[in-house]
PDB file of all heavy atoms in Angstrom:
ATOM      1  N   ASP A1041       0.808  -1.221   0.000  1.00 58.00           N
ATOM      2  CA  ASP A1041       0.000   0.000   0.000  1.00 58.00           C
ATOM      3  C   ASP A1041       0.842   1.273   0.000  1.00 58.00           C
ATOM      4  O   ASP A1041       0.319   2.361  -0.108  1.00 58.00           O
ATOM      5  CB  ASP A1041      -0.906   0.038   1.235  1.00 58.00           C
ATOM      6  CG  ASP A1041      -1.999  -1.006   1.184  1.00 58.00           C
ATOM      7  OD1 ASP A1041      -2.334  -1.455   0.068  1.00 58.00           O
ATOM      8  OD2 ASP A1041      -2.500  -1.386   2.247  1.00 58.00           O
ATOM      9  N   HIS A1042       2.152   1.125   0.151  1.00 55.00           N
ATOM     10  CA  HIS A1042       3.000   2.309   0.256  1.00 55.00           C
ATOM     11  C   HIS A1042       4.011   2.368  -0.884  1.00 55.00           C
ATOM     12  O   HIS A1042       4.564   1.360  -1.289  1.00 55.00           O
ATOM     13  CB  HIS A1042       3.725   2.321   1.604  1.00 55.00           C
ATOM     14  CG  HIS A1042       2.776   2.482   2.747  1.00 55.00           C
ATOM     15  ND1 HIS A1042       2.229   1.413   3.397  1.00 55.00           N
ATOM     16  CD2 HIS A1042       2.244   3.582   3.309  1.00 55.00           C
ATOM     17  CE1 HIS A1042       1.408   1.850   4.330  1.00 55.00           C
ATOM     18  NE2 HIS A1042       1.404   3.159   4.297  1.00 55.00           N
ATOM     19  N   ALA A1043       4.235   3.570  -1.332  1.00 55.00           N
ATOM     20  CA  ALA A1043       5.166   3.793  -2.438  1.00 55.00           C
ATOM     21  C   ALA A1043       6.609   3.709  -1.934  1.00 55.00           C
ATOM     22  O   ALA A1043       6.871   3.911  -0.752  1.00 55.00           O
ATOM     23  CB  ALA A1043       4.914   5.182  -3.033  1.00 55.00           C
ATOM     24  N   PRO A1044       7.554   3.445  -2.828  1.00 54.00           N
ATOM     25  CA  PRO A1044       8.974   3.469  -2.427  1.00 54.00           C
ATOM     26  C   PRO A1044       9.357   4.849  -1.909  1.00 54.00           C
ATOM     27  O   PRO A1044       8.766   5.861  -2.288  1.00 54.00           O
ATOM     28  CB  PRO A1044       9.717   3.157  -3.734  1.00 54.00           C
ATOM     29  CG  PRO A1044       8.717   2.492  -4.602  1.00 54.00           C
ATOM     30  CD  PRO A1044       7.376   3.075  -4.221  1.00 54.00           C
ATOM     31  N   LEU A1045      10.345   4.887  -1.041  1.00 58.00           N
ATOM     32  CA  LEU A1045      10.813   6.164  -0.513  1.00 58.00           C
ATOM     33  C   LEU A1045      11.401   6.998  -1.642  1.00 58.00           C
ATOM     34  O   LEU A1045      12.019   6.475  -2.567  1.00 58.00           O
ATOM     35  CB  LEU A1045      11.865   5.935   0.567  1.00 58.00           C
ATOM     36  CG  LEU A1045      11.398   5.147   1.782  1.00 58.00           C
ATOM     37  CD1 LEU A1045      12.538   4.997   2.780  1.00 58.00           C
ATOM     38  CD2 LEU A1045      10.200   5.799   2.439  1.00 58.00           C
ATOM     39  N   LEU A1046      11.229   8.290  -1.550  1.00 58.00           N
ATOM     40  CA  LEU A1046      11.708   9.198  -2.584  1.00 58.00           C
ATOM     41  C   LEU A1046      13.155   9.614  -2.360  1.00 58.00           C
ATOM     42  O   LEU A1046      13.777  10.183  -3.232  1.00 58.00           O
ATOM     43  CB  LEU A1046      10.811  10.441  -2.639  1.00 58.00           C
ATOM     44  CG  LEU A1046       9.342  10.152  -2.936  1.00 58.00           C
ATOM     45  CD1 LEU A1046       8.532  11.444  -2.863  1.00 58.00           C
ATOM     46  CD2 LEU A1046       9.194   9.489  -4.290  1.00 58.00           C
ATOM     47  N   HIS A1047      13.675   9.360  -1.162  1.00 60.00           N
ATOM     48  CA  HIS A1047      15.054   9.707  -0.816  1.00 60.00           C
ATOM     49  C   HIS A1047      15.755   8.476  -0.286  1.00 60.00           C
ATOM     50  O   HIS A1047      15.138   7.600   0.305  1.00 60.00           O
ATOM     51  CB  HIS A1047      15.096  10.815   0.243  1.00 60.00           C
ATOM     52  CG  HIS A1047      14.579  12.120  -0.254  1.00 60.00           C
ATOM     53  ND1 HIS A1047      15.364  13.000  -0.953  1.00 60.00           N
ATOM     54  CD2 HIS A1047      13.368  12.693  -0.176  1.00 60.00           C
ATOM     55  CE1 HIS A1047      14.651  14.053  -1.277  1.00 60.00           C
ATOM     56  NE2 HIS A1047      13.430  13.891  -0.814  1.00 60.00           N
ATOM     57  N   ASP A1048      17.042   8.423  -0.470  1.00 61.00           N
ATOM     58  CA  ASP A1048      17.845   7.325   0.051  1.00 61.00           C
ATOM     59  C   ASP A1048      17.711   7.307   1.575  1.00 61.00           C
ATOM     60  O   ASP A1048      17.988   8.308   2.231  1.00 61.00           O
ATOM     61  CB  ASP A1048      19.307   7.530  -0.347  1.00 61.00           C
ATOM     62  CG  ASP A1048      20.200   6.367   0.025  1.00 61.00           C
ATOM     63  OD1 ASP A1048      19.776   5.503   0.828  1.00 61.00           O
ATOM     64  OD2 ASP A1048      21.329   6.317  -0.485  1.00 61.00           O
ATOM     65  N   PRO A1049      17.280   6.175   2.147  1.00 65.00           N
ATOM     66  CA  PRO A1049      17.047   6.130   3.591  1.00 65.00           C
ATOM     67  C   PRO A1049      18.305   5.920   4.431  1.00 65.00           C
ATOM     68  O   PRO A1049      18.217   5.718   5.624  1.00 65.00           O
ATOM     69  CB  PRO A1049      16.101   4.935   3.725  1.00 65.00           C
ATOM     70  CG  PRO A1049      16.523   4.025   2.633  1.00 65.00           C
ATOM     71  CD  PRO A1049      16.881   4.943   1.481  1.00 65.00           C
ATOM     72  N   VAL A1050      19.476   6.004   3.822  1.00 68.00           N
ATOM     73  CA  VAL A1050      20.707   5.726   4.556  1.00 68.00           C
ATOM     74  C   VAL A1050      20.860   6.631   5.783  1.00 68.00           C
ATOM     75  O   VAL A1050      21.448   6.232   6.780  1.00 68.00           O
ATOM     76  CB  VAL A1050      21.945   5.801   3.638  1.00 68.00           C
ATOM     77  CG1 VAL A1050      22.226   7.225   3.198  1.00 68.00           C
ATOM     78  CG2 VAL A1050      23.159   5.184   4.312  1.00 68.00           C
ATOM     79  N   HIS A1051      20.327   7.819   5.751  1.00 77.00           N
ATOM     80  CA  HIS A1051      20.472   8.751   6.868  1.00 77.00           C
ATOM     81  C   HIS A1051      19.220   8.816   7.747  1.00 77.00           C
ATOM     82  O   HIS A1051      19.134   9.673   8.627  1.00 77.00           O
ATOM     83  CB  HIS A1051      20.803  10.151   6.359  1.00 77.00           C
ATOM     84  CG  HIS A1051      22.106  10.223   5.644  1.00 77.00           C
ATOM     85  ND1 HIS A1051      23.313   9.977   6.267  1.00 77.00           N
ATOM     86  CD2 HIS A1051      22.404  10.483   4.353  1.00 77.00           C
ATOM     87  CE1 HIS A1051      24.290  10.088   5.387  1.00 77.00           C
ATOM     88  NE2 HIS A1051      23.764  10.390   4.220  1.00 77.00           N
ATOM     89  N   ALA A1052      18.267   7.927   7.500  1.00 82.00           N
ATOM     90  CA  ALA A1052      17.030   7.944   8.290  1.00 82.00           C
ATOM     91  C   ALA A1052      17.332   7.575   9.741  1.00 82.00           C
ATOM     92  O   ALA A1052      18.247   6.808  10.032  1.00 82.00           O
ATOM     93  CB  ALA A1052      16.013   6.981   7.694  1.00 82.00           C
ATOM     94  N   ARG A1053      16.558   8.160  10.632  1.00 85.00           N
ATOM     95  CA  ARG A1053      16.694   7.844  12.044  1.00 85.00           C
ATOM     96  C   ARG A1053      15.337   8.018  12.712  1.00 85.00           C
ATOM     97  O   ARG A1053      14.458   8.705  12.201  1.00 85.00           O
ATOM     98  CB  ARG A1053      17.745   8.712  12.717  1.00 85.00           C
ATOM     99  CG  ARG A1053      17.370  10.171  12.837  1.00 85.00           C
ATOM    100  CD  ARG A1053      18.450  10.943  13.589  1.00 85.00           C
ATOM    101  NE  ARG A1053      18.062  12.292  13.860  1.00 85.00           N
ATOM    102  CZ  ARG A1053      17.385  12.698  14.933  1.00 85.00           C
ATOM    103  NH1 ARG A1053      16.994  11.840  15.820  1.00 85.00           N
ATOM    104  NH2 ARG A1053      17.097  13.965  15.109  1.00 85.00           N
ATOM    105  N   VAL A1054      15.195   7.396  13.865  1.00 88.00           N
ATOM    106  CA  VAL A1054      13.980   7.521  14.658  1.00 88.00           C
ATOM    107  C   VAL A1054      14.164   8.687  15.626  1.00 88.00           C
ATOM    108  O   VAL A1054      15.217   8.819  16.250  1.00 88.00           O
ATOM    109  CB  VAL A1054      13.687   6.213  15.421  1.00 88.00           C
ATOM    110  CG1 VAL A1054      12.469   6.366  16.316  1.00 88.00           C
ATOM    111  CG2 VAL A1054      13.489   5.059  14.437  1.00 88.00           C
ATOM    112  N   ALA A1055      13.146   9.523  15.726  1.00 91.00           N
ATOM    113  CA  ALA A1055      13.190  10.667  16.629  1.00 91.00           C
ATOM    114  C   ALA A1055      11.830  10.850  17.286  1.00 91.00           C
ATOM    115  O   ALA A1055      10.811  10.377  16.767  1.00 91.00           O
ATOM    116  CB  ALA A1055      13.553  11.942  15.860  1.00 91.00           C
ATOM    117  N   ARG A1056      11.827  11.530  18.402  1.00 94.00           N
ATOM    118  CA  ARG A1056      10.556  11.918  19.019  1.00 94.00           C
ATOM    119  C   ARG A1056       9.963  13.056  18.182  1.00 94.00           C
ATOM    120  O   ARG A1056      10.689  13.901  17.673  1.00 94.00           O
ATOM    121  CB  ARG A1056      10.790  12.385  20.442  1.00 94.00           C
ATOM    122  CG  ARG A1056      11.100  11.262  21.397  1.00 94.00           C
ATOM    123  CD  ARG A1056      11.171  11.813  22.830  1.00 94.00           C
ATOM    124  NE  ARG A1056      11.347  10.734  23.756  1.00 94.00           N
ATOM    125  CZ  ARG A1056      12.525  10.199  24.084  1.00 94.00           C
ATOM    126  NH1 ARG A1056      13.632  10.680  23.545  1.00 94.00           N
ATOM    127  NH2 ARG A1056      12.602   9.202  24.941  1.00 94.00           N
ATOM    128  N   ALA A1057       8.651  13.085  18.089  1.00 95.00           N
ATOM    129  CA  ALA A1057       7.992  14.145  17.318  1.00 95.00           C
ATOM    130  C   ALA A1057       8.385  15.520  17.844  1.00 95.00           C
ATOM    131  O   ALA A1057       8.564  16.456  17.068  1.00 95.00           O
ATOM    132  CB  ALA A1057       6.479  13.964  17.356  1.00 95.00           C
ATOM    133  N   GLY A1058       8.559  15.644  19.140  1.00 95.00           N
ATOM    134  CA  GLY A1058       8.945  16.925  19.732  1.00 95.00           C
ATOM    135  C   GLY A1058      10.345  17.375  19.369  1.00 95.00           C
ATOM    136  O   GLY A1058      10.693  18.532  19.561  1.00 95.00           O
ATOM    137  N   ASP A1059      11.159  16.457  18.830  1.00 94.00           N
ATOM    138  CA  ASP A1059      12.532  16.788  18.442  1.00 94.00           C
ATOM    139  C   ASP A1059      12.691  17.017  16.939  1.00 94.00           C
ATOM    140  O   ASP A1059      13.793  17.317  16.482  1.00 94.00           O
ATOM    141  CB  ASP A1059      13.488  15.676  18.883  1.00 94.00           C
ATOM    142  CG  ASP A1059      13.552  15.540  20.394  1.00 94.00           C
ATOM    143  OD1 ASP A1059      13.325  16.545  21.096  1.00 94.00           O
ATOM    144  OD2 ASP A1059      13.820  14.421  20.874  1.00 94.00           O
ATOM    145  N   VAL A1060      11.616  16.872  16.176  1.00 95.00           N
ATOM    146  CA  VAL A1060      11.682  17.076  14.732  1.00 95.00           C
ATOM    147  C   VAL A1060      11.902  18.558  14.460  1.00 95.00           C
ATOM    148  O   VAL A1060      11.271  19.421  15.066  1.00 95.00           O
ATOM    149  CB  VAL A1060      10.388  16.572  14.055  1.00 95.00           C
ATOM    150  CG1 VAL A1060      10.355  16.954  12.583  1.00 95.00           C
ATOM    151  CG2 VAL A1060      10.270  15.060  14.223  1.00 95.00           C
ATOM    152  N   ALA A1061      12.821  18.850  13.547  1.00 94.00           N
ATOM    153  CA  ALA A1061      13.172  20.236  13.221  1.00 94.00           C
ATOM    154  C   ALA A1061      12.635  20.632  11.851  1.00 94.00           C
ATOM    155  O   ALA A1061      12.359  19.773  11.006  1.00 94.00           O
ATOM    156  CB  ALA A1061      14.697  20.396  13.244  1.00 94.00           C
ATOM    157  N   ALA A1062      12.534  21.906  11.621  1.00 94.00           N
ATOM    158  CA  ALA A1062      12.093  22.421  10.328  1.00 94.00           C
ATOM    159  C   ALA A1062      13.009  21.887   9.230  1.00 94.00           C
ATOM    160  O   ALA A1062      14.232  21.895   9.372  1.00 94.00           O
ATOM    161  CB  ALA A1062      12.097  23.943  10.322  1.00 94.00           C
ATOM    162  N   GLY A1063      12.407  21.390   8.168  1.00 92.00           N
ATOM    163  CA  GLY A1063      13.165  20.873   7.037  1.00 92.00           C
ATOM    164  C   GLY A1063      13.423  19.380   7.080  1.00 92.00           C
ATOM    165  O   GLY A1063      13.817  18.795   6.076  1.00 92.00           O
ATOM    166  N   ASP A1064      13.238  18.734   8.246  1.00 92.00           N
ATOM    167  CA  ASP A1064      13.397  17.280   8.313  1.00 92.00           C
ATOM    168  C   ASP A1064      12.341  16.628   7.423  1.00 92.00           C
ATOM    169  O   ASP A1064      11.216  17.123   7.308  1.00 92.00           O
ATOM    170  CB  ASP A1064      13.214  16.764   9.744  1.00 92.00           C
ATOM    171  CG  ASP A1064      14.333  17.164  10.686  1.00 92.00           C
ATOM    172  OD1 ASP A1064      15.381  17.668  10.211  1.00 92.00           O
ATOM    173  OD2 ASP A1064      14.169  16.968  11.905  1.00 92.00           O
ATOM    174  N   LEU A1065      12.703  15.523   6.791  1.00 90.00           N
ATOM    175  CA  LEU A1065      11.771  14.781   5.950  1.00 90.00           C
ATOM    176  C   LEU A1065      11.130  13.686   6.787  1.00 90.00           C
ATOM    177  O   LEU A1065      11.830  12.829   7.343  1.00 90.00           O
ATOM    178  CB  LEU A1065      12.488  14.170   4.750  1.00 90.00           C
ATOM    179  CG  LEU A1065      11.599  13.425   3.760  1.00 90.00           C
ATOM    180  CD1 LEU A1065      10.648  14.398   3.057  1.00 90.00           C
ATOM    181  CD2 LEU A1065      12.449  12.686   2.743  1.00 90.00           C
ATOM    182  N   ILE A1066       9.815  13.702   6.911  1.00 90.00           N
ATOM    183  CA  ILE A1066       9.088  12.727   7.715  1.00 90.00           C
ATOM    184  C   ILE A1066       8.666  11.581   6.808  1.00 90.00           C
ATOM    185  O   ILE A1066       7.952  11.776   5.830  1.00 90.00           O
ATOM    186  CB  ILE A1066       7.885  13.376   8.403  1.00 90.00           C
ATOM    187  CG1 ILE A1066       8.365  14.520   9.286  1.00 90.00           C
ATOM    188  CG2 ILE A1066       7.101  12.338   9.201  1.00 90.00           C
ATOM    189  CD1 ILE A1066       7.266  15.344   9.896  1.00 90.00           C
ATOM    190  N   LEU A1067       9.139  10.367   7.151  1.00 86.00           N
ATOM    191  CA  LEU A1067       8.886   9.184   6.335  1.00 86.00           C
ATOM    192  C   LEU A1067       7.790   8.293   6.893  1.00 86.00           C
ATOM    193  O   LEU A1067       7.040   7.675   6.132  1.00 86.00           O
ATOM    194  CB  LEU A1067      10.165   8.344   6.208  1.00 86.00           C
ATOM    195  CG  LEU A1067      11.407   9.042   5.673  1.00 86.00           C
ATOM    196  CD1 LEU A1067      12.595   8.089   5.721  1.00 86.00           C
ATOM    197  CD2 LEU A1067      11.169   9.537   4.264  1.00 86.00           C
ATOM    198  N   ALA A1068       7.713   8.161   8.230  1.00 85.00           N
ATOM    199  CA  ALA A1068       6.796   7.190   8.826  1.00 85.00           C
ATOM    200  C   ALA A1068       6.567   7.487  10.291  1.00 85.00           C
ATOM    201  O   ALA A1068       7.383   8.130  10.942  1.00 85.00           O
ATOM    202  CB  ALA A1068       7.381   5.781   8.685  1.00 85.00           C
ATOM    203  N   GLY A1069       5.452   6.988  10.790  1.00 87.00           N
ATOM    204  CA  GLY A1069       5.222   6.935  12.221  1.00 87.00           C
ATOM    205  C   GLY A1069       5.792   5.608  12.703  1.00 87.00           C
ATOM    206  O   GLY A1069       5.752   4.613  11.981  1.00 87.00           O
ATOM    207  N   VAL A1070       6.342   5.572  13.898  1.00 86.00           N
ATOM    208  CA  VAL A1070       6.976   4.360  14.413  1.00 86.00           C
ATOM    209  C   VAL A1070       6.289   3.949  15.710  1.00 86.00           C
ATOM    210  O   VAL A1070       6.091   4.782  16.599  1.00 86.00           O
ATOM    211  CB  VAL A1070       8.480   4.584  14.675  1.00 86.00           C
ATOM    212  CG1 VAL A1070       9.127   3.346  15.260  1.00 86.00           C
ATOM    213  CG2 VAL A1070       9.190   5.000  13.389  1.00 86.00           C
ATOM    214  N   GLY A1071       5.933   2.672  15.783  1.00 81.00           N
ATOM    215  CA  GLY A1071       5.312   2.135  16.985  1.00 81.00           C
ATOM    216  C   GLY A1071       5.871   0.758  17.284  1.00 81.00           C
ATOM    217  O   GLY A1071       6.794   0.283  16.610  1.00 81.00           O
ATOM    218  N   MET A1072       5.319   0.115  18.266  1.00 77.00           N
ATOM    219  CA  MET A1072       5.797  -1.210  18.658  1.00 77.00           C
ATOM    220  C   MET A1072       5.649  -2.225  17.526  1.00 77.00           C
ATOM    221  O   MET A1072       6.402  -3.182  17.447  1.00 77.00           O
ATOM    222  CB  MET A1072       5.047  -1.693  19.894  1.00 77.00           C
ATOM    223  CG  MET A1072       5.340  -0.862  21.135  1.00 77.00           C
ATOM    224  SD  MET A1072       7.092  -0.773  21.532  1.00 77.00           S
ATOM    225  CE  MET A1072       7.357  -2.414  22.157  1.00 77.00           C
ATOM    226  N   GLY A1073       4.709  -2.017  16.639  1.00 73.00           N
ATOM    227  CA  GLY A1073       4.486  -2.936  15.520  1.00 73.00           C
ATOM    228  C   GLY A1073       5.353  -2.651  14.308  1.00 73.00           C
ATOM    229  O   GLY A1073       5.244  -3.313  13.286  1.00 73.00           O
ATOM    230  N   GLY A1074       6.200  -1.641  14.380  1.00 73.00           N
ATOM    231  CA  GLY A1074       7.048  -1.283  13.246  1.00 73.00           C
ATOM    232  C   GLY A1074       6.734   0.107  12.748  1.00 73.00           C
ATOM    233  O   GLY A1074       6.110   0.911  13.435  1.00 73.00           O
ATOM    234  N   ALA A1075       7.153   0.375  11.532  1.00 72.00           N
ATOM    235  CA  ALA A1075       6.957   1.695  10.933  1.00 72.00           C
ATOM    236  C   ALA A1075       5.725   1.699  10.039  1.00 72.00           C
ATOM    237  O   ALA A1075       5.486   0.755   9.299  1.00 72.00           O
ATOM    238  CB  ALA A1075       8.186   2.089  10.118  1.00 72.00           C
ATOM    239  N   ASP A1076       4.957   2.756  10.118  1.00 75.00           N
ATOM    240  CA  ASP A1076       3.805   2.960   9.248  1.00 75.00           C
ATOM    241  C   ASP A1076       4.200   4.069   8.272  1.00 75.00           C
ATOM    242  O   ASP A1076       4.108   5.259   8.577  1.00 75.00           O
ATOM    243  CB  ASP A1076       2.578   3.363  10.059  1.00 75.00           C
ATOM    244  CG  ASP A1076       1.349   3.579   9.197  1.00 75.00           C
ATOM    245  OD1 ASP A1076       1.339   3.114   8.031  1.00 75.00           O
ATOM    246  OD2 ASP A1076       0.399   4.225   9.677  1.00 75.00           O
ATOM    247  N   TYR A1077       4.694   3.656   7.105  1.00 71.00           N
ATOM    248  CA  TYR A1077       5.185   4.613   6.113  1.00 71.00           C
ATOM    249  C   TYR A1077       4.044   5.424   5.523  1.00 71.00           C
ATOM    250  O   TYR A1077       2.952   4.920   5.304  1.00 71.00           O
ATOM    251  CB  TYR A1077       5.920   3.882   4.983  1.00 71.00           C
ATOM    252  CG  TYR A1077       7.250   3.332   5.410  1.00 71.00           C
ATOM    253  CD1 TYR A1077       7.353   2.058   5.953  1.00 71.00           C
ATOM    254  CD2 TYR A1077       8.404   4.083   5.284  1.00 71.00           C
ATOM    255  CE1 TYR A1077       8.573   1.555   6.362  1.00 71.00           C
ATOM    256  CE2 TYR A1077       9.635   3.593   5.685  1.00 71.00           C
ATOM    257  CZ  TYR A1077       9.705   2.322   6.221  1.00 71.00           C
ATOM    258  OH  TYR A1077      10.906   1.836   6.629  1.00 71.00           O
ATOM    259  N   PHE A1078       4.336   6.690   5.246  1.00 76.00           N
ATOM    260  CA  PHE A1078       3.348   7.566   4.633  1.00 76.00           C
ATOM    261  C   PHE A1078       3.507   7.523   3.123  1.00 76.00           C
ATOM    262  O   PHE A1078       4.628   7.496   2.608  1.00 76.00           O
ATOM    263  CB  PHE A1078       3.531   9.007   5.115  1.00 76.00           C
ATOM    264  CG  PHE A1078       3.474   9.138   6.616  1.00 76.00           C
ATOM    265  CD1 PHE A1078       4.473   9.786   7.306  1.00 76.00           C
ATOM    266  CD2 PHE A1078       2.413   8.611   7.334  1.00 76.00           C
ATOM    267  CE1 PHE A1078       4.423   9.921   8.677  1.00 76.00           C
ATOM    268  CE2 PHE A1078       2.354   8.728   8.698  1.00 76.00           C
ATOM    269  CZ  PHE A1078       3.362   9.387   9.376  1.00 76.00           C
ATOM    270  N   ASN A1079       2.389   7.536   2.397  1.00 73.00           N
ATOM    271  CA  ASN A1079       2.464   7.635   0.939  1.00 73.00           C
ATOM    272  C   ASN A1079       3.008   8.993   0.539  1.00 73.00           C
ATOM    273  O   ASN A1079       3.685   9.133  -0.465  1.00 73.00           O
ATOM    274  CB  ASN A1079       1.098   7.412   0.305  1.00 73.00           C
ATOM    275  CG  ASN A1079       0.778   5.944   0.168  1.00 73.00           C
ATOM    276  OD1 ASN A1079       1.672   5.110   0.027  1.00 73.00           O
ATOM    277  ND2 ASN A1079      -0.494   5.612   0.230  1.00 73.00           N
ATOM    278  N   ASP A1080       2.683   9.997   1.311  1.00 76.00           N
ATOM    279  CA  ASP A1080       3.165  11.351   1.047  1.00 76.00           C
ATOM    280  C   ASP A1080       4.211  11.706   2.105  1.00 76.00           C
ATOM    281  O   ASP A1080       3.877  12.200   3.173  1.00 76.00           O
ATOM    282  CB  ASP A1080       2.016  12.360   1.109  1.00 76.00           C
ATOM    283  CG  ASP A1080       1.007  12.163   0.013  1.00 76.00           C
ATOM    284  OD1 ASP A1080       1.429  11.848  -1.114  1.00 76.00           O
ATOM    285  OD2 ASP A1080      -0.197  12.307   0.276  1.00 76.00           O
ATOM    286  N   GLN A1081       5.480  11.399   1.805  1.00 81.00           N
ATOM    287  CA  GLN A1081       6.544  11.826   2.702  1.00 81.00           C
ATOM    288  C   GLN A1081       6.568  13.346   2.637  1.00 81.00           C
ATOM    289  O   GLN A1081       6.365  13.918   1.577  1.00 81.00           O
ATOM    290  CB  GLN A1081       7.859  11.232   2.230  1.00 81.00           C
ATOM    291  CG  GLN A1081       7.806   9.707   2.203  1.00 81.00           C
ATOM    292  CD  GLN A1081       8.558   9.132   1.024  1.00 81.00           C
ATOM    293  OE1 GLN A1081       9.596   9.633   0.654  1.00 81.00           O
ATOM    294  NE2 GLN A1081       8.022   8.082   0.430  1.00 81.00           N
ATOM    295  N   TYR A1082       6.774  13.984   3.774  1.00 88.00           N
ATOM    296  CA  TYR A1082       6.645  15.438   3.765  1.00 88.00           C
ATOM    297  C   TYR A1082       7.700  16.119   4.618  1.00 88.00           C
ATOM    298  O   TYR A1082       8.284  15.527   5.503  1.00 88.00           O
ATOM    299  CB  TYR A1082       5.242  15.859   4.198  1.00 88.00           C
ATOM    300  CG  TYR A1082       4.850  15.439   5.599  1.00 88.00           C
ATOM    301  CD1 TYR A1082       4.911  16.348   6.644  1.00 88.00           C
ATOM    302  CD2 TYR A1082       4.390  14.150   5.863  1.00 88.00           C
ATOM    303  CE1 TYR A1082       4.544  15.983   7.922  1.00 88.00           C
ATOM    304  CE2 TYR A1082       4.019  13.773   7.139  1.00 88.00           C
ATOM    305  CZ  TYR A1082       4.091  14.698   8.163  1.00 88.00           C
ATOM    306  OH  TYR A1082       3.730  14.328   9.436  1.00 88.00           O
ATOM    307  N   THR A1083       7.921  17.375   4.307  1.00 90.00           N
ATOM    308  CA  THR A1083       8.898  18.190   5.003  1.00 90.00           C
ATOM    309  C   THR A1083       8.257  18.790   6.250  1.00 90.00           C
ATOM    310  O   THR A1083       7.166  19.365   6.182  1.00 90.00           O
ATOM    311  CB  THR A1083       9.404  19.318   4.089  1.00 90.00           C
ATOM    312  OG1 THR A1083       9.975  18.723   2.921  1.00 90.00           O
ATOM    313  CG2 THR A1083      10.447  20.169   4.783  1.00 90.00           C
ATOM    314  N   ALA A1084       8.949  18.661   7.369  1.00 93.00           N
ATOM    315  CA  ALA A1084       8.438  19.202   8.630  1.00 93.00           C
ATOM    316  C   ALA A1084       8.487  20.718   8.619  1.00 93.00           C
ATOM    317  O   ALA A1084       9.469  21.323   8.186  1.00 93.00           O
ATOM    318  CB  ALA A1084       9.258  18.655   9.796  1.00 93.00           C
ATOM    319  N   ARG A1085       7.412  21.289   9.101  1.00 93.00           N
ATOM    320  CA  ARG A1085       7.313  22.741   9.306  1.00 93.00           C
ATOM    321  C   ARG A1085       6.684  22.944  10.682  1.00 93.00           C
ATOM    322  O   ARG A1085       5.511  23.339  10.782  1.00 93.00           O
ATOM    323  CB  ARG A1085       6.451  23.368   8.214  1.00 93.00           C
ATOM    324  CG  ARG A1085       7.061  23.283   6.830  1.00 93.00           C
ATOM    325  CD  ARG A1085       6.130  23.897   5.779  1.00 93.00           C
ATOM    326  NE  ARG A1085       6.730  23.845   4.476  1.00 93.00           N
ATOM    327  CZ  ARG A1085       6.572  22.852   3.612  1.00 93.00           C
ATOM    328  NH1 ARG A1085       5.820  21.823   3.918  1.00 93.00           N
ATOM    329  NH2 ARG A1085       7.157  22.878   2.433  1.00 93.00           N
ATOM    330  N   PRO A1086       7.440  22.631  11.751  1.00 92.00           N
ATOM    331  CA  PRO A1086       6.868  22.683  13.102  1.00 92.00           C
ATOM    332  C   PRO A1086       6.360  24.066  13.480  1.00 92.00           C
ATOM    333  O   PRO A1086       6.917  25.079  13.064  1.00 92.00           O
ATOM    334  CB  PRO A1086       8.038  22.286  14.004  1.00 92.00           C
ATOM    335  CG  PRO A1086       9.022  21.619  13.122  1.00 92.00           C
ATOM    336  CD  PRO A1086       8.846  22.231  11.766  1.00 92.00           C
TER     337      PRO A1086
END
């Protein structure tokens, strides 16, 4: 159900939502069951 990532995930990391900075690319929500990737990866504008 999810499209391939648009950017190389080599630099991806898990962060708390409160620590996301402007310009970070948000790929997925992360929970105990794994990552829920978004079809529309988007740039953070906190």
